[in-house]
Amino acid sequence: MIDSAEQTIAASPLLETKLYTPRWRPAFVSRPRLVRRLDQGTERKLTLVSAPAGFGKTTLLAEWIATFEVGERAAAWFSLDQRDNDPALFWAYFITALQKVLPDVGEVAISLLRSPQPVPIESVLTTLINEINAAAPGSSTIPGRGILLVLDDYHFIDAQPVHAGVRFLLDNLPPQMHMVITGRADPPLSLSRLRGRGELAELRPSDLRFTEAEAAAFLNDAMGLELTAADAAALETRTEGWIAGLQLAALSMQGRNDVQGFIKAFSGDDRYIVDYLVEEVLLRQSNLVRNFLLQTSILARLSGPLCDAVTDQEDGKEMLETLERGNLFVVPLDDKRRWYRYHHLFADVLHAHLMEEHPDLASTLHRRASEWYERNSSPADAIRHALAAKDFERAAGLIELIWPVIHRSFEDSTWLGWAKQLPDELVRARPVLSVGYAWTSLIAGDLESGESRLQDAERWLDAGVRSDLPSVKMVVADEAEFRTLPATIASARAFHALAVGDWPGTETFARRALELLPESNYFERAIPAGLLGLAYLGRGELETARRLVGEGMASLQKTGNILLAISGTPLMAEIRVTQGRLREAVSTYENALHLVAKHGERPPQGTAELYLGLTELCLEHGDPETAASHLLRSEKLNEQAPQDAYQYRWRVVKAQLKEAQGDLDGALDLLNDAERVYTPGVMPDIRPVAAMKARVWIIQNRLTEALDWVNKQNLSVDDDLSYLREFEHVTLARVLAGRYNSSRDDLDIHDAIELLERLLQAAEEGGRTGSVIEILVLQALAHAAQANTSRALLPLERALTLAEPEGYVRIFVGEGEPMRDLLRHAAAAGITGFYTQRLLSAFGEPDQSVASSRNAAAELADPLTAREIEVLRLIVAGLRNQEIADQLFISLSTVKRHIANGYGKMGVSHRTEAVARANELNLLS
């Protein structure tokens, strides 16, 4: 989720400081030998500058970037700190940094980070990479030598999800982009693999140490000393070229008379040097400066007003400018000198001195920082400093106040991480905070914790006091949220009940929430309405489920959020498919696409899934060509706006296409992948992938695997039947029939027929006509397997009668040769004549009425397809495009595409020419 992260960035006064590229000043020592190394490294994917603190990593990169000619190469900079371990925040800052040099890149990726459902960062980055790849080097977008992106201080990152995303980006880095990472330790980014591929350039401490000449120039020119060559060389030897040590030593020597004595006494390892020299530097400062340094050491970023608030003084701006002029380890973070930071090594030691000398003062300083950040609209920083101050009361209030934003953005791991740092008794005293804790826990899948927190909140609402906490008073920071808490709790309870399969409980709590919420609370009402719909779906009450889900979608549409408004479309369409109303299912998807088209130029996340649904429907209508076209369109849309759930659905739908094309092994591979990426949620799993695999095994005559599936699922012909397991029980009937065809054991076919009869009755009672058609087809095949054709034609005729108005094809053709034989008998008996003949033609038996037309069409340089001939004949018959779509059970857009293709092949531009050309070629005879 990353709406809260996006808001955190937008509101943060530190945004410019994190994305500010440091400026190199001529007063620094120039290091051309290392600049050349950096230039050479751009031929590879990654340059790693890895060394302990104080080796001049950032300064070197600033010097390098300063050498870039205008228009030659663009550089983006992202300064990292501990907060950036939140993946949401990290990638939002990363993309924002990139947009400083590529302003036209990243909008889609940012929109994905705002998604109410977590999106895999690989999907977000794929979108970003594709956008960068689309921009050619040397264009107005990308300079001729590409772009450089610096991740500074990467050692702060220890979150594996962030590492995984950076590894993915490096594996797929656009050729016009080079990445530089600095840090005190090697990052876990598969460096050995990059090194082996020749994709890694490295600068190590041995490279970064000052040479004697550089040390002398730094000490005398930059630090203003007048050392002899021998003294400078001695100091370089004692520090081993360590730049921070040299700088600290130079600060200590300023104003000393016995410089040589100081140099001779100077020895020890890095840690000792730092402790010794910082103490020396601090002792040489006035009490005013020393106190300022210690008190502001708690801050990751420094500004005049913030320092004033923390130190309770009024000289923060002037003090920072004085420290910078004195080279006292202060680094500017913007061109206007509003924000600074201390050198990390210096800050660490300052903070250690603060905790040693004034351990009780740190909490006060953090509290002051928290108050300043709250006043300046940076709630995330305010919360962090309140937690650091161990002012848990204050932190709890801030965390509670930001909860509504999180709730409306669904889930935020950062918020839950803050809440988990609070003492348990404090959370339990705050009902609004407890409910926020419950919701985020439920969404994260921690049902036990969610239940516990809901109970805490409910106890306060019931009595206003807690019998289990008699000395504790209820605390509320957000009165508005408290007033709506009964409805929020009811929605959370409905979510919990649905997650555990408690349909009555879901209905009870969802209805309570809807009763409590005003009609104008569109977003809040959509949640219980959707949950209530899912509960009815689980019970098999499809029409009620569809109405409730539709109400939720209509409510979300009123919020103006197009993504949320179309999110329920696949479920709405699936209900219509189950009801056997394929045309309405097509219309459901097309209406959603029309809504998307009205939204704007960029299709929102979720649009790709609409085309997946149309792919399935085209397959059922016997139009694999259009199905493949929809699938391709879906894949391209998902590249633009990836969605987590898409990866599962795409594999399932493509497996169906593979099966229809006869590639059963390919279908199984995709189903295995789908099973691997499937993540359970509150949505009932009506068609489990394991059952789909069993159906493919049956076609392959791999009955052992299919029977193993039956045993693992503990399925039996005597089971109680329900809508939720209907797909599995129909699959069981297929397994039994398949075993009968192999072993001829009468018990198997008897059990299959008996189970199908029970399933038929349940489906008819539930109004599930789509299921009824499939069950009737299986009944017909079961009787045919017993060589009882006359009995088989009875359920087949009924199936054909139900299927014809909706244009079903695959449900018959997918059954193979046994169904072809039955359809021949049906055609001979005059059962649904035209429709039966059309199904036989789908098996490859051409309709005699179009055979001669096909022969004539073949004379064209680019022959017409069978479908294009059908469309042409209906045009000649005077049918309008929509009437042709209805006649052939295809969408209007598909008709238009066939017309355009046919006109192009015949060299005509309108209907009159098409009819004349068709007669000329004898296409209609």
Side-chain angles (χ1 to χ4, degrees), residues 589-606:
Y589 284 119
E590 290 181 339
N591 289 340
L593 288 171
H594 179 67
L595 184 62
V596 168
K598 289 172 58 180
H599 172 67
E601 293 183 5
R602 291 184 181 272
Q605 185 188 38

Side-chain angles (χ1 to χ4, degrees), residues 400 403-404 407-408 432 478-486 488:
E400 179 176 319
W403 159 243
H407 177 53
R408 286 160 182 78
V432 175
D478 193 332
E479 292 288 347
E481 280 298 307
F482 180 74
R483 288 192 292 273
T484 64
L485 212 54
T488 307

Side-chain angles (χ1 to χ4, degrees), residues 110-393:
I110 287 289
S111 71
L112 296 180
L113 293 178
R114 297 173 183 156
S115 167
Q117 298 176 348
V119 178
I121 195 58
E122 290 84 356
S123 300
V124 177
L125 293 177
T126 297
T127 299
L128 185 65
I129 290 164
N130 289 338
E131 288 190 75
I132 297 171
N133 281 330
S139 68
S140 59
T141 303
I142 295 184
R145 295 183 64 187
I147 55 175
L148 175 79
L149 196 142
V150 179
L151 298 181
D152 194 25
D153 293 329
Y154 195 84
H155 56 269
F156 281 113
I157 302 302
D158 53 30
Q160 286 305 314
V162 174
H163 293 319
V166 174
R167 281 194 295 270
F168 179 86
L169 180 60
L170 285 170
D171 285 342
N172 301 277
L173 197 70
Q176 59 268 56
M177 185 174 178
H178 180 73
M179 188 176 294
V180 178
I181 290 178
T182 78
R184 299 182 188 178
D186 284 3
L189 299 176
S190 304
L191 297 181
S192 59
R193 186 181 64 182
L194 291 168
R195 194 177 291 120
R197 293 176 177 173
E199 296 174 343
L200 176 66
E202 300 173 78
L203 290 178
R204 299 287 178 178
S206 59
D207 304 304
L208 296 169
R209 296 183 193 279
F210 270 170
T211 64
E212 283 189 18
E214 288 171 338
F218 173 75
L219 293 167
N220 291 325
D221 299 339
M223 299 303 296
L225 300 176
E226 296 180 358
L227 302 183
T228 66
D231 287 341
L235 197 54
E236 187 276 332
T237 300
R238 294 295 178 90
T239 60
E240 296 183 346
W242 181 47
I243 301 170
L246 284 167
Q247 186 174 4
L248 284 164
L251 288 169
S252 297
M253 287 188 292
Q254 287 176 346
R256 285 183 180 271
N257 294 322
D258 185 15
V259 171
Q260 289 185 340
F262 176 86
I263 295 173
K264 289 178 182 178
F266 186 71
S267 64
D269 61 19
D270 290 355
R271 184 71 264 167
Y272 172 82
I273 293 172
V274 172
D275 290 342
Y276 171 71
L277 288 180
V278 170
E279 187 169 343
E280 284 283 303
V281 171
L282 288 176
L283 286 174
R284 297 174 67 81
Q285 306 304 318
S286 67
N287 285 336
L288 183 65
V289 172
R290 190 174 189 278
N291 288 334
F292 180 89
L293 291 170
L294 295 180
Q295 291 177 22
T296 56
S297 67
I298 67 160
L299 300 170
R301 304 288 191 275
L302 309 158
S303 74
L306 174 57
C307 290
D308 289 344
V310 170
T311 62
D312 199 23
Q313 300 294 321
E314 296 181 354
D315 57 352
K317 183 176 183 295
E318 294 77 10
M319 188 69 74
L320 290 170
E321 291 172 350
T322 299
L323 293 176
E324 184 189 4
R325 286 195 299 271
N327 285 321
L328 205 59
F329 292 95
V330 177
V331 181
L333 295 177
D334 59 39
D335 288 325
K336 296 180 180 179
R337 297 301 197 266
R338 291 180 301 187
W339 287 94
Y340 299 80
R341 69 167 174 85
Y342 290 128
H343 187 290
H344 297 311
L345 181 150
F346 191 57
D348 289 344
V349 179
L350 286 177
H351 192 258
H353 274 263
L354 171 68
M355 298 308 294
E356 180 181 341
E357 298 176 25
H358 308 289
D360 297 332
L361 181 60
S363 293
T364 300
L365 299 174
H366 279 296
R367 188 177 300 109
R368 291 173 181 171
S370 176
E371 291 169 353
W372 186 89
Y373 276 120
E374 182 185 12
R375 291 194 301 271
N376 286 272
S377 303
S378 186
D381 293 295
I383 290 168
R384 275 186 284 269
H385 278 287
L387 290 170
K390 298 192 182 305
D391 187 347
F392 295 122
E393 287 285 347

Side-chain angles (χ1 to χ4, degrees), residues 587-770:
S587 296
T588 299
Y589 284 119
E590 290 181 339
N591 289 340
L593 288 171
H594 179 67
L595 184 62
V596 168
K598 289 172 58 180
H599 172 67
E601 293 183 5
R602 291 184 181 272
Q605 185 188 38
T607 308
E609 193 163 353
L610 303 180
Y611 281 97
L612 284 183
L614 288 174
T615 300
E616 289 184 296
L617 288 165
C618 285
L619 283 175
E620 185 52 65
H621 279 145
D623 190 357
E625 180 183 320
T626 304
S629 174
H630 283 318
L631 184 62
L632 181 61
R633 172 69 170 150
S634 174
E635 291 165 350
K636 289 181 178 178
L637 284 169
N638 188 64
E639 290 177 1
Q640 299 174 26
Q643 188 176 27
D644 192 11
Y646 179 87
Q647 298 305 320
Y648 167 75
R649 282 274 294 136
W650 173 80
R651 285 165 170 80
V652 169
V653 173
K654 188 157 188 175
Q656 294 176 47
L657 180 59
K658 290 282 188 182
E659 182 182 337
Q661 293 169 338
D663 183 2
L664 299 181
D665 289 336
L668 274 178
D669 288 342
L670 286 161
L671 291 176
N672 284 328
D673 283 347
E675 202 166 31
R676 177 178 53 81
V677 302
Y678 175 69
T679 302
V682 294
M683 182 78 71
D685 189 11
I686 305 299
R687 291 180 173 82
V689 172
M692 297 181 199
K693 289 166 59 178
R695 293 186 174 207
V696 177
W697 287 328
I698 295 166
I699 300 171
Q700 293 178 316
N701 202 31
R702 294 165 60 179
L703 295 177
T704 301
E705 288 98 323
L707 287 166
D708 285 344
W709 167 78
V710 171
N711 294 328
K712 286 179 182 177
Q713 301 303 315
N714 199 26
L715 290 168
S716 165
V717 294
D718 298 320
D719 290 340
D720 291 334
L721 302 181
S722 68
Y723 168 59
L724 281 182
R725 301 205 73 184
E726 184 173 77
F727 188 80
E728 291 178 295
H729 281 115
V730 171
T731 306
L732 172 60
R734 289 179 175 276
V735 173
L736 292 171
R739 188 163 66 175
Y740 170 76
N741 291 332
S742 177
S743 66
R744 312 309 292 181
D745 185 338
D746 289 340
L747 180 60
D748 286 332
I749 200 66
H750 170 77
D751 286 347
I753 290 173
E754 187 174 280
L755 176 58
L756 288 169
E757 191 58 44
R758 293 175 59 220
L759 286 166
L760 180 63
Q761 181 179 349
E764 288 175 333
E765 291 174 354
R768 299 188 293 274
T769 303

